[in-house]
């Protein structure tokens, strides 16, 4: 079996990154983001990237690192409100943004990975989102056509992975990761724990190995919390 | 006396029915979970991929991987499930969620809703709001009746970019409750906050409404 295992983020991205690529990034807020891979992309210095990601990180974390470093040309996202650098770059005309409704974004990525070039949804009908797009009526209701998305490199983060590339996500850190893993020419996965083939329960695998071309263990992780909300004991 | 934020949330909680799967927006809608009536058992859905959302954690049980769509740390309940964002919005868009309670900047008398952007100011994005209003069976809006300048936020026609068209079923403001019927223009006033009069509501509402008091 071909080796998919790399020692770290830098080696896992070796030879893959080029200026102008479309990167598909998992994560919601800072949960489940491919933190080590994003750092390695920053260090690589590649530019003019299009990043497909639900959010844009926060200042100093997640995709915020690439924004601050001037590496991103365009974001395709549903919500970027947590990132102040984003606002400055956007208002200065240094960054393009394409807002997609969150469910439409998730489905565009899922469709792109599943070989479906376009689909119809009722989300966004009658709003700015539908402007300039084809619409069609099914059973008396209007739908708007949205295109599938397929990028150059998918960057995903999982909880456990085996050396063949099977992935298991943890709790709400799953979010966009499974779809992103399917929707690029090459998917690179970072995991908290890398185990031998056969050690994951086949019934519990969320992303089958076929999608993952390269994998490495990124531990240890210092997981950031955006809004620590607690109740009193 | 107009309703406070908590009283608006408590009023919205009366719309919860036993067995409902519910998505709550950020702000006042989040407070609704504090007022779930006794003998009503609901399951909260969070669009980042969690069904069965519990209260905020105690300090020693915070898990960075367990958050709601507002990125706040939350807890699991018995029977919680996690799933991908695509599955989450299949649930929402596919009409499997019974009720969504969310905030608004403007609502029009035909049920149009605007709550995601103000042109010229920084734009944050719509997140999951457009999918929720398009797919969830029933949409309840909880909002202040007027803006800071005292102008009606319940309008003949929305001025801001829309989140969805003809999608609102009920408005709970700090002054009153309106119901709407999809496909039929016009609001119906069904309830006043204590001490608020029909004249107060008329003076502060641009949209046409009929009184069902």
């Amino acid at each position: 079996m071909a080796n998919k295992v790399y020692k770290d983020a830098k080696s896992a991205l070796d030879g893959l990154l080029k200026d102008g690529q479309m990167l598909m990034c998992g994560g919601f807020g800072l949960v489940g983001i491919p933190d080590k891979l994003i750092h390695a992309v920053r260090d690589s210095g590649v530019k003019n990237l299009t990043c497909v990601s639900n959010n844009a990180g926060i200042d100093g974390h997640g995709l915020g690192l690439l924004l601050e470093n001037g590496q991103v040309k365009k974001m395709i996202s549903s919500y970027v409100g947590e990132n102040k650098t984003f606002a400055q770059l956007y208002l200065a005309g240094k960054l393009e943004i394409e807002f997609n409704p969150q469910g439409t974004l998730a489905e565009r990525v899922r469709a792109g990975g599943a070989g479906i070039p376009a689909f119809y949804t009722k989300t966004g009908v009658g709003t700015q989102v539908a402007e300039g797009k084809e619409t069609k009526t099914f059973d008396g209701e209007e739908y708007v056509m949205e295109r599938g998305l397929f990028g150059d490199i998918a960057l995903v983060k999982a909880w456990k992975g085996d050396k063949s590339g099977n992935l298991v996500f943890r709790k709400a850190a799953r979010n966009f990761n499974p779809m992103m893993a399917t929707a690029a020419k090459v998917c690179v996965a970072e995991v908290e724990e890398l185990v031998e083939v056969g050690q994951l329960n086949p019934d519990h695998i969320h992303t089958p190995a076929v999608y993952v071309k390269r994998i490495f263990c990124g531990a240890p992780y210092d997981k950031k919390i955006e809004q620590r909300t607690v109740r009193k004991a | 006396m107009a309703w406070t934020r908590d009283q608006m949330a408590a009023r919205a909680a009366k719309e919860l029915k036993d067995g409902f799967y519910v998505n709550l927006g950020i702000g006042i809608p989040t407070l609704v979970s504090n007022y779930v009536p006794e003998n009503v058992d609901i399951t909260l859905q969070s669009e980042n991929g969690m069904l069965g959302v519990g209260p905020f954690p105690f300090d020693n049980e915070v898990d960075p991987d367990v958050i709601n769509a507002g990125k706040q740390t939350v807890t699991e309940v018995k029977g919680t499930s996690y799933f991908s964002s695509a599955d989450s919005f299949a649930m929402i868009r596919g009409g499997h969620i019974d009720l969504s309670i969310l905030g608004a900047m403007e609502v029009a008398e035909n049920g149009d809703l605007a709550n995601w952007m103000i042109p010229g100011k920084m734009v944050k994005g719509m997140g999951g709001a457009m999918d929720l209003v398009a797919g969830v069976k029933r949409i309840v809006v909880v909002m202040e009746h007027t803006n800071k300048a005292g102008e009606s936020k319940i309008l003949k026609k929305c001025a801001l970019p829309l989140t969805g068209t003809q999608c609102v079923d009920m408005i709970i403001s700090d002054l009153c409750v309106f119901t709407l019927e999809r496909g039929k223009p016009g609001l119906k006033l069904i309830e006043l906050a204590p001490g608020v009069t029909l004249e107060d509501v008329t003076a502060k509402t641009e949209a046409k409404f009929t009184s069902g008091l």
Side-chain angles (χ1 to χ4, degrees):
Chain A
M1 194 167 66
N3 176 51
K4 294 183 178 179
V5 179
Y6 290 75
K7 73 173 179 0
D8 57 17
K10 188 177 180 222
S11 61
L13 288 171
D14 189 43
L16 295 180
L17 294 169
K18 291 190 186 68
D19 288 352
Q21 283 178 326
M22 185 188 276
L23 302 187
M24 315 295 284
C25 297
F28 183 97
L30 296 179
V31 174
I33 58 168
D35 189 49
K36 308 288 159 109
L37 285 162
I38 291 169
H39 276 86
V41 172
R42 192 222 17 217
D43 295 344
S44 79
V46 288
K47 289 194 165 55
N48 289 322
L49 299 171
T50 295
C51 293
V52 179
S53 170
N54 188 54
N55 310 102
I58 62 172
D59 296 279
H61 293 289
L63 291 178
L65 293 172
L66 305 188
L67 290 169
E68 288 158 25
N69 211 24
Q71 293 173 271
V72 182
K73 182 184 70 175
K74 181 179 179 181
M75 293 289 313
I76 301 178
S77 302
S78 87
Y79 189 82
V80 299
E82 289 92 359
N83 191 308
K84 292 188 189 71
T85 308
F86 189 99
Q88 290 160 8
L89 290 170
Y90 177 72
L91 293 171
K94 290 179 179 165
L95 184 63
E96 290 172 52
I97 171 74
E98 179 186 324
F99 281 122
N100 284 192
Q102 196 172 127
T104 296
L105 182 64
E107 192 63 13
R108 290 184 72 192
V109 177
R110 195 199 71 80
I116 296 172
F119 59 92
Y120 287 95
T121 175
K122 57 187 168 184
T123 300
V125 169
T127 75
Q128 276 186 7
V129 162
E131 281 173 18
K133 290 175 185 165
E134 193 181 303
T135 58
K136 190 165 175 160
T137 300
F138 295 93
D139 304 322
E141 194 168 357
E142 193 179 336
Y143 293 78
V144 58
M145 189 179 82
E146 296 281 1
R147 298 293 310 270
L149 279 171
F150 193 84
D152 295 294
I153 304 173
L155 308 177
V156 305
K157 154 81 193 301
W159 178 33
K160 291 180 182 177
D162 72 22
K163 290 181 174 178
S164 74
N166 288 308
L167 302 179
V168 178
F169 302 97
R170 183 173 182 274
K171 302 184 185 282
R174 191 180 323 180
N175 55 62
F176 277 81
N177 280 297
M179 290 83 71
M180 294 297 182
T182 69
K185 292 171 199 158
V186 180
C187 169
V188 184
E190 59 178 274
V191 297
E192 292 178 42
E193 193 183 337
L194 186 63
V195 302
E196 294 298 326
V197 176
Q199 287 187 357
L200 297 176
N201 183 332
D203 274 329
H204 294 175
I205 288 165
H206 298 128
T207 293
V210 65
Y211 296 108
V212 179
K213 300 294 185 288
R214 300 185 179 191
I215 189 167
F216 68 96
C217 176
Y221 281 91
D222 172 24
K223 295 179 185 175
K224 297 277 183 283
I225 295 173
E226 277 185 67
Q227 305 226 24
R228 187 187 176 92
T229 44
V230 294
R231 59 184 156 145
K232 295 212 166 63
Chain B
M1 280 297 291
W3 278 319
T4 63
R5 286 162 59 88
D6 275 282
Q7 287 168 329
M8 289 160 72
R11 175 58 189 84
K14 289 186 184 173
E15 300 305 309
L16 302 169
K17 294 200 171 69
D18 194 40
F20 264 20
Y21 291 90
V22 179
N23 184 295
L24 299 178
I26 295 164
I28 300 174
T30 305
L31 301 174
V32 174
S33 59
N34 297 334
Y35 298 97
V36 180
E38 259 181 70
N39 305 319
V40 171
D41 194 12
I42 61 158
T43 305
L44 294 176
Q45 197 258 17
S46 192
E47 64 265 28
N48 54 315
M50 185 175 186
L51 186 65
V53 180
F56 295 146
F58 292 115
D59 200 53
N60 63 357
E61 57 177 20
V62 169
D63 183 333
D65 287 339
V66 183
I67 61 162
N68 63 18
K71 284 106 182 171
Q72 297 171 311
T73 47
V74 292
T75 53
E76 296 172 357
V77 296
K78 271 184 199 168
T80 289
S81 59
Y82 295 105
F83 34 85
S84 75
S85 301
D87 289 330
S88 182
F89 283 94
M91 220 174 263
I92 289 166
R93 200 190 302 107
H96 306 283
I97 303 296
D98 297 294
L99 173 68
S100 179
I101 301 176
L102 37 81
M105 297 171 183
E106 296 176 348
V107 179
E109 62 190 33
N110 67 348
D112 286 0
L113 167 71
N115 75 352
W116 78 281
M117 82 176 283
I118 304 173
K121 296 196 180 175
M122 183 49 200
V123 179
K124 294 179 174 186
M126 69 290 279
M130 286 194 183
D131 308 278
L132 285 161
V133 301
V136 172
K137 286 180 201 158
R138 184 168 153 78
I139 302 294
V140 173
V141 165
V142 180
M143 68 193 292
E144 301 292 333
H145 206 97
T146 56
N147 63 20
K148 281 174 191 151
E151 298 158 343
S152 178
K153 291 166 67 174
I154 302 168
L155 306 168
K156 290 188 190 309
K157 195 171 184 300
C158 291
L160 294 170
L162 296 181
T163 305
T165 58
Q166 298 181 35
C167 57
V168 176
D169 298 292
M170 176 178 269
I171 304 168
I172 298 169
S173 80
D174 48 330
L175 302 182
C176 64
V177 181
F178 290 116
T179 55
L180 296 88
E181 227 175 301
R182 293 200 189 194
K184 286 190 189 168
L187 307 172
K188 187 172 167 191
L189 179 67
I190 62 159
E191 201 174 324
L192 294 167
V196 173
T197 64
L198 178 59
E199 290 69 34
D200 295 334
V201 173
T202 305
K204 289 180 176 172
T205 308
E206 185 198 286
K208 263 192 204 144
F209 67 90
T210 56
S211 174
L213 294 172

